[in-house]
Amino acid sequence: MDLAQMAGWLAAAAAIIAMLQKSDLRLKQGLIIHTVLYGIHFALLGLPTAVISCVIALARISLSIYTRSLLCAAVLIIFSVATALAVSRSTVEAASVVLTLSLFRFDGIKLRLGLLGGGSVLWLIHNIYVQSWGGICLEACFCLSTLWGLWTMVQEQNENSKKEVCL
């Protein structure tokens, strides 16, 4: 296994661990580790557009820990769209827009739905196209672990609702 694919597999492991977190802060901290490893993976594969997207993602995730500013989200979205128009027209930039909105404006279940619906599906399409085996595994596992996290959060909410009704 070459170094690029090894970085992809490590990114996959980091993402899976991140998505299993119930805490939004721990989720975002895990996504920072994942994004750094993913950026290294794409750099080693020679995919500069994906690397740029990872740099944007790193800024997006880091900033979303400290602010929910619509202005900050808008700046990152504009930058992503400008990058898409200047460099390529790929699913990576579309994922960036959806992920930015999700990270800055949502929490809990809505945050995870944005990560799943926008991010993982679009990145999965990209990784299939560029034949990133670690990336394909990552996004498939990302989808499954996100669904598992969503299921446990919904179950927990249902249990809390039943307790409130009984009181």
Side-chain angles (χ1 to χ4, degrees), residues 37-83:
L37 291 168
Y38 220 20
I40 292 168
H41 168 68
F42 287 125
L44 293 171
L45 286 175
L47 300 168
T49 304
V51 173
I52 291 168
S53 183
C54 285
V55 171
I56 295 169
L58 191 57
R60 176 181 60 231
I61 297 163
S62 299
L63 288 170
S64 75
I65 290 173
Y66 299 103
T67 182
R68 292 181 64 119
S69 165
L70 210 50
L71 177 62
C72 192
V75 168
L76 288 165
I77 288 170
I78 290 167
F79 189 75
S80 294
V81 170
T83 301

Side-chain angles (χ1 to χ4, degrees), residues 5 9 11 17 21 27-28 30 44 50 52 61 77 91 94 100 114-115 136 151 158-159 164:
Q5 295 301 337
W9 287 109
I17 292 168
Q21 304 303 309
L27 166 70
K28 290 177 182 182
L44 293 171
I52 291 168
I61 297 163
I77 288 170
T91 59
T100 299
L115 294 174
I136 293 167
W151 184 79
N158 288 340
E159 288 176 19
E164 289 175 9

Side-chain angles (χ1 to χ4, degrees), residues 14-159:
I16 292 165
I17 292 168
M19 290 310 296
L20 292 173
Q21 304 303 309
K22 289 184 181 177
S23 160
D24 289 349
L25 177 61
R26 287 196 178 151
L27 166 70
K28 290 177 182 182
Q29 291 168 335
L31 289 175
I32 288 171
I33 295 167
H34 148 73
T35 302
V36 169
L37 291 168
Y38 220 20
I40 292 168
H41 168 68
F42 287 125
L44 293 171
L45 286 175
L47 300 168
T49 304
V51 173
I52 291 168
S53 183
C54 285
V55 171
I56 295 169
L58 191 57
R60 176 181 60 231
I61 297 163
S62 299
L63 288 170
S64 75
I65 290 173
Y66 299 103
T67 182
R68 292 181 64 119
S69 165
L70 210 50
L71 177 62
C72 192
V75 168
L76 288 165
I77 288 170
I78 290 167
F79 189 75
S80 294
V81 170
T83 301
L85 295 174
V87 180
S88 72
R89 289 175 176 84
S90 75
T91 59
V92 173
E93 284 76 22
S96 183
V97 170
V98 173
L99 291 170
T100 299
L101 287 172
S102 298
L103 285 164
F104 278 89
R105 302 309 297 167
F106 303 133
D107 54 18
I109 292 172
K110 289 179 183 177
L111 169 62
R112 284 154 182 81
L113 285 172
L115 294 174
L116 173 68
S120 291
V121 171
L122 294 170
W123 271 101
L124 181 61
I125 292 166
H126 171 267
N127 290 332
I128 291 169
Y129 179 74
V130 300
Q131 297 180 356
S132 166
W133 306 116
I136 293 167
C137 177
L138 162 73
E139 296 305 337
C141 291
F142 219 174
C143 289
L144 293 174
S145 61
T146 302
L147 289 169
W148 176 260
L150 282 167
W151 184 79
T152 59
M153 289 179 81
V154 168
Q155 294 292 42
E156 192 174 285
Q157 279 186 351
N158 288 340
E159 288 176 19

